[in-house]
Amino acid sequence: MTARILYGKEFAAKIREEARREAERLRRETGVTPGLAVVIAGHDPASEVYVRNKHKACDELGLFSLAVELPETATREELLAKIDDLNHDERIHGILVQLPLPKALAAAESEVLFRIDPAKDVDGFHPVNVGRLSIGEAALVPCTPAGCVRMLELAGIPIDGARAVVIGRSNIVGKPMMNLLLQRSATVTVCHSHTKDLAAITREADILVAAVGRPGFVTADMVKPGATVIDVGINRVAPKKLVGDVDFEAVSEVAGAITPVPGGVGLLTIAMLMQNTVTAAKLQMTK
Ligand code: NAD
């Protein structure tokens, strides 16, 4: 069997188009242009690339974007004051703090993220949004898992009643993924570094999500024939070579559908950030 390859490009384009249309309608009906502020402290080269891509995506979709750049030496107080300004800035509907923060600010990460007005928390990391997601209320949801689930829907892969297994229990990917799949009536198991007999559990999955951060972790014998395998992992194994958590060559002979790395889930994250910015603007307009 050779799996259907779920290319992120195709689904990211659809999510972006949905966001563009919704933003356009909001502008027509209320005169408001959704706006995203991206806060970056210091000069991490990888972070600078991510931030540039986020502003570019906003430009392409007709969203307002604001770059807030702080020096490596910025203090906790300066960063928190910047967040407070953005919380009150009417042009801004979404605020994202680019991680990782410089070393001197790392201990303040939670405080900084939790200072963001939950209505503007387009990363979905604020406890209010985490809580709302877990009780099934409208929430801003972390972009990567939200993008994966939207991709499954757009690809016509049934979630309702499916047996889903998520490997990884992080707050950014694993746990929100679990909640999103549960909300759509999958039967979900979350596995992690203490899980015993992992392969026996993953072999039951109709939908298998890998968010571990270890190259080639999911091997063909861990996958049920015909399953959908979503590879969230991004692992740099050489200066110019990225691989996922799944042994793509071998698993694509067993799975029914699979996302590649690169070219899979990674592309969905920024598309979903655009969608979250538009959703945040709409929610703020209806308040
Ligand atoms: P994390 O390090 O916070 O979590 C990793 C999880 O894997 C942990 O919950 C841990 O329990 C689990 N794990 C580790 N070893 C295991 C084992 N032997 N068996 C079972 N579970 C094990 O990582 P994260 O932030 O969730 O990210 C996971 C991967 O996804 C990373 O490669 C990261 O780069 C990638 N990622 C990609 C995107 C994207 O846009 N595509 C976004 C976020 C993260």
Side-chain angles (χ1 to χ4, degrees):
M1 177 174 205
T2 305
R4 167 185 178 193
I5 301 180
L6 302 169
Y7 291 105
K9 198 172 170 187
E10 175 191 340
F11 300 101
K14 288 186 178 157
I15 296 169
R16 280 171 182 245
E17 181 52 24
E18 287 170 351
R20 196 193 59 73
R21 259 188 276 128
E22 281 178 44
E24 177 56 38
R25 192 177 324 124
L26 191 71
R27 212 173 5 251
R28 226 181 19 249
E29 290 173 1
T30 66
V32 166
T33 298
L36 173 70
V38 182
V39 181
I40 179 167
H43 294 285
D44 177 59
S47 293
E48 285 178 331
V49 173
Y50 290 137
V51 169
R52 264 202 305 280
N53 288 341
K54 286 165 188 172
H55 291 302
K56 189 163 158 262
C58 283
D59 289 347
E60 285 167 2
L61 269 61
L63 309 189
F64 173 65
S65 78
L66 184 69
V68 180
E69 290 164 10
L70 296 172
E72 186 91 24
T73 52
T75 62
R76 166 185 160 276
E77 291 74 16
E78 282 164 342
L79 185 49
L80 291 172
K82 199 46 92 177
I83 306 279
D84 290 342
D85 288 348
L86 294 169
N87 281 340
H88 293 105
D89 188 332
E90 288 190 353
R91 300 168 302 166
I92 298 302
H93 305 93
I95 303 169
L96 181 149
V97 177
Q98 186 66 42
L99 301 176
L101 291 172
K103 276 200 183 73
L105 289 170
E109 183 181 300
S110 295
E111 187 184 9
V112 168
L113 296 178
F114 298 174
R115 187 77 157 235
I116 297 172
D117 178 346
K120 297 190 177 187
D121 166 39
V122 281
D123 255 338
F125 295 160
H126 193 287
V128 167
N129 283 313
V130 175
R132 291 180 74 90
L133 172 64
S134 77
I135 58 170
E137 289 284 322
L140 292 167
V141 178
C143 298
T144 301
C148 292
V149 169
R150 188 73 193 115
M151 177 186 67
L152 288 174
E153 290 172 343
L154 289 168
I157 291 166
I159 303 177
D160 191 323
R163 186 82 161 79
V165 175
V166 179
I167 319 177
R169 57 174 164 182
S170 71
N171 292 332
I172 296 175
V173 187
K175 283 185 205 146
M177 182 70 86
M178 169 195 77
N179 273 315
L180 286 165
L181 291 167
L182 189 60
Q183 226 176 47
R184 286 161 181 74
S185 300
T187 300
V188 191
T189 304
V190 180
C191 301
H192 46 77
S193 53
H194 293 234
T195 298
K196 297 204 171 79
D197 203 2
L198 180 67
I201 301 170
T202 59
R203 272 197 297 270
E204 290 183 1
D206 302 309
I207 298 170
L208 178 60
V209 180
V212 184
R214 290 195 181 192
F217 183 80
V218 174
T219 49
D221 60 309
M222 294 169 73
V223 176
K224 173 162 121 179
T228 297
V229 180
I230 309 226
D231 191 350
V232 182
I234 303 177
N235 307 293
R236 191 170 292 283
V237 290
K240 290 198 170 172
K241 189 167 167 59
L242 293 179
V243 299
D245 287 347
V246 176
D247 176 356
F248 182 84
E249 293 304 323
V251 171
S252 57
E253 294 299 317
V254 180
I258 186 167
T259 61
V261 179
V265 166
L267 298 169
L268 303 171
T269 303
I270 289 190
M272 215 58 218
L273 174 66
M274 299 298 107
Q275 178 64 68
N276 273 0
T277 303
V278 177
T279 302
K282 280 166 59 180
L283 289 172
Q284 286 161 53
M285 288 301 103
T286 53
K287 267 199 177 151

